Amino acid sequence: PEGGIKVKQKIRTPIQMYIRYLIFEELHKGNVEKIVKYLRKLNWDDSEVSDYVIKCLTKAYTFRWHLIRSLADVVSALSSYQEKAVTRVIDGVFEDIRAGLEIHSPKLAQRRIAMAKYLGELYIYRLVDSQNVFNTLYSIISYGVTWNHEIFSPVDPPESMFRLKLACTMLDTCGAYFQSLSSKKKLDCYLVFLQNYYWFKKSHPVFKSTAESGDLFPFLIEHMYKECLHNLRPKLKLYKSYEKAQEEIEKLKQQLYPNLGEGESDGKLLNTI
Amino acid sequence: PKAIKKVKTFLNKVVIRKLPPNLTSEEFLEIISPIPDYSDYYFVKADWSLGAEATSRAYIEFKNQEDIFIFKDKFDEYVFVDNVRGTEYPAIVEFAPFQNLPKSRARKDKH
């Protein structure tokens, strides 16, 4: 639209332009060490400088997809020297993912996917632990989810497959790195809940298929989901219905919390907070 | 001397979310003062790329566990008012999802 809209020109200081140049333009897979070297030379005691670097290192969504790993690599290398700043970057990543769950706007779709990928990469570089990752994975399939097809959730509308996409993105990124016995178990457990969420979505009346309509559930999502689970657990037999998934959740509850009273909501059960 | 990594015996890092976007760190500190003993505090200005949903937030690492619960009682859902927009922002107080970097990697070299 012409007229009316004033675009505010951002005025950047030379040091901000230099930081942007290093992080947004120069960074590629082959020069992570060099970038880290230059970043370390900045005056981190100047909060205007450190705040700006932190901001740039947090915004994984401004990078091309394959560079997100290199960004995590930079942050990892930097963590030995600038522990506080790196902690703030990671705080920012968690906040962004959470805000995305609360806001649910198509405008943020690309950003949310990138940040989920980023968190997965940060786990691969051992900056966050598996519990951090699982807490996020659980929040993705539980935050604002009504577990009732008659109650509409504005942050997870029935037709929206976005949460599945997010969860699969994270699992595709770092699922194979859950190697310790305890994190393997955590993943097995999560996959039960993920399948339950999948079936909650798929069994919604909007996807009710008839002979003429065929299967209305988005094919690409179905494929992504099956592929993701297959890559992680090739032998896993996927549940074939919502009822079956819920049965398995019940079993899991009995197994893990035999003394737990009723009335706990599924997703919350394993969240720490 | 090498910094000795403090070992956390309880979750001590709290995040205060959904603060008004135009709030400043100074204003925030004034509202919540006196703050119980803390080891770290920082404030993050609103990310305006979120448009109308932009909010600011703050992190506090408390020294004593009891203070966290008292703080939460007082400020969880406490309504902060944005002095530019005049809008009310009920705050959310919770444990920060990320508490600290894994211990093994602390090998800080001071320049």
Side-chain angles (χ1 to χ4, degrees):
Chain A
E2 62 263 28
I5 296 167
K6 275 182 209 154
V7 179
K8 243 199 232 161
Q9 187 75 43
K10 267 188 197 163
I11 301 163
R12 298 192 173 109
T13 63
I15 187 73
Q16 288 180 337
M17 273 152 54
Y18 174 66
I19 293 166
R20 291 180 70 84
Y21 169 76
L22 280 181
I23 298 175
F24 295 141
E25 285 174 47
E26 273 296 283
L27 176 65
H28 59 79
K29 202 178 157 196
N31 70 351
V32 168
E33 271 180 49
K34 204 172 98 193
I35 299 289
V36 172
K37 204 173 103 191
Y38 288 126
L39 287 176
R40 281 176 63 193
K41 286 183 181 160
L42 295 168
N43 180 12
W44 290 80
D45 295 330
D46 179 348
S47 67
E48 275 186 32
V49 172
S50 54
D51 284 357
Y52 200 75
V53 187
I54 290 165
K55 195 170 142 183
C56 294
L57 293 176
T58 309
K59 296 186 169 208
Y61 51 93
T62 55
F63 291 80
R64 275 169 292 146
W65 187 249
H66 71 275
L67 275 180
I68 295 177
R69 168 160 297 182
S70 305
L71 182 65
D73 196 0
V74 166
V75 172
S76 166
L78 210 52
S79 70
S80 315
Y81 312 104
Q82 297 296 339
E83 203 183 326
K84 226 171 204 175
V86 165
T87 302
R88 291 180 185 193
V89 169
I90 299 170
D91 283 337
V93 174
F94 280 106
E95 171 62 25
D96 214 76
I97 292 175
R98 170 76 180 270
L101 292 174
E102 292 169 345
I103 298 168
H104 186 70
S105 152
K107 274 189 207 157
L108 294 177
Q110 161 55 24
R111 171 168 173 171
R112 294 174 63 189
I113 292 283
M115 291 308 262
K117 157 105 173 149
Y118 193 26
L119 184 60
E121 297 288 357
L122 291 171
Y123 172 70
I124 295 174
Y125 283 96
R126 309 208 163 280
L127 290 162
V128 301
D129 61 28
S130 64
Q131 196 53 53
N132 292 140
V133 176
F134 280 108
N135 286 344
T136 302
L137 280 168
Y138 277 108
S139 68
I140 289 170
I141 56 167
S142 64
Y143 184 86
V145 178
T146 60
W147 300 113
N148 180 342
H149 289 146
E150 278 160 34
I151 304 171
F152 177 83
S153 168
V155 294
D156 182 32
E159 309 81 18
S160 169
M161 295 295 129
F162 197 73
R163 301 288 189 93
L164 276 174
K165 231 168 145 176
L166 268 186
C168 290
T169 300
M170 274 187 75
L171 291 174
D172 286 343
T173 307
C174 67
Y177 291 79
F178 295 126
Q179 286 297 346
S180 74
L181 194 62
S182 79
S183 48
K184 269 185 188 160
K185 270 189 187 160
K186 280 183 207 160
L187 179 59
D188 287 332
C189 187
Y190 181 72
L191 294 182
V192 176
F193 282 89
L194 181 64
Q195 291 187 71
N196 184 54
Y197 176 78
Y198 166 83
W199 276 107
F200 169 68
K201 297 299 283 187
K202 195 176 158 85
S203 61
H204 192 281
V206 291
F207 299 119
K208 195 171 174 156
S209 45
T210 59
E212 305 99 74
S213 72
D215 192 355
L216 291 173
F217 195 72
F219 168 77
L220 283 174
I221 294 292
E222 174 112 25
H223 181 72
M224 178 199 67
Y225 161 83
K226 286 185 175 161
E227 188 78 5
C228 173
L229 269 66
H230 178 75
N231 287 337
L232 290 171
R233 294 285 182 271
K235 287 179 191 153
L236 186 70
K237 284 222 169 78
L238 300 185
Y239 307 144
K240 297 244 161 43
S241 70
Y242 190 29
E243 291 69 33
K244 175 68 182 161
Q246 288 191 309
E247 258 173 48
E248 293 300 322
I249 295 253
E250 250 341 286
K251 268 191 216 164
L252 206 56
K253 273 189 197 171
Q254 294 296 330
Q255 207 181 320
L256 294 172
Y257 304 98
N259 303 320
L260 197 73
E262 283 174 12
E264 285 284 332
S265 70
D266 298 347
K268 269 273 182 254
L269 195 65
L270 293 155
N271 266 336
T272 46
I273 300 177
Chain B
K2 265 188 193 166
I4 296 162
K5 184 81 182 177
K6 50 186 191 297
V7 178
K8 279 193 187 193
T9 51
F10 60 93
L11 300 178
N12 69 340
K13 184 168 158 189
V14 165
V15 59
I16 304 100
R17 304 179 62 243
K18 302 262 160 187
L19 295 169
N22 295 297
L23 190 73
T24 65
S25 178
E26 293 73 27
E27 289 164 347
F28 175 69
L29 286 174
E30 202 178 302
I31 295 170
I32 64 164
S33 74
I35 318 170
D37 281 354
Y38 64 94
S39 50
D40 195 22
Y41 159 81
Y42 81 100
F43 188 88
V44 188
K45 288 183 213 151
D47 174 359
W48 290 106
S49 67
L50 292 175
E53 309 283 349
T55 53
S56 50
R57 69 198 137 97
Y59 295 83
I60 306 175
E61 281 185 41
F62 288 98
K63 286 189 177 167
N64 305 310
Q65 200 166 17
E66 318 80 73
D67 292 337
I68 295 177
F69 303 113
I70 298 167
F71 186 88
K72 186 181 158 79
D73 270 351
K74 206 163 156 194
F75 291 106
D76 195 27
E77 291 175 45
Y78 180 94
V79 177
F80 289 80
V81 179
D82 191 79
N83 51 17
V84 175
R85 294 181 178 174
T87 320
E88 294 185 340
Y89 287 84
I92 299 175
V93 177
E94 46 192 46
F95 286 117
F98 184 65
Q99 289 286 313
N100 54 348
L101 288 165
K103 284 170 220 82
S104 58
R105 49 184 318 118
R107 50 189 160 99
K108 207 190 291 180
D109 68 347
K110 262 284 182 188
H111 303 284

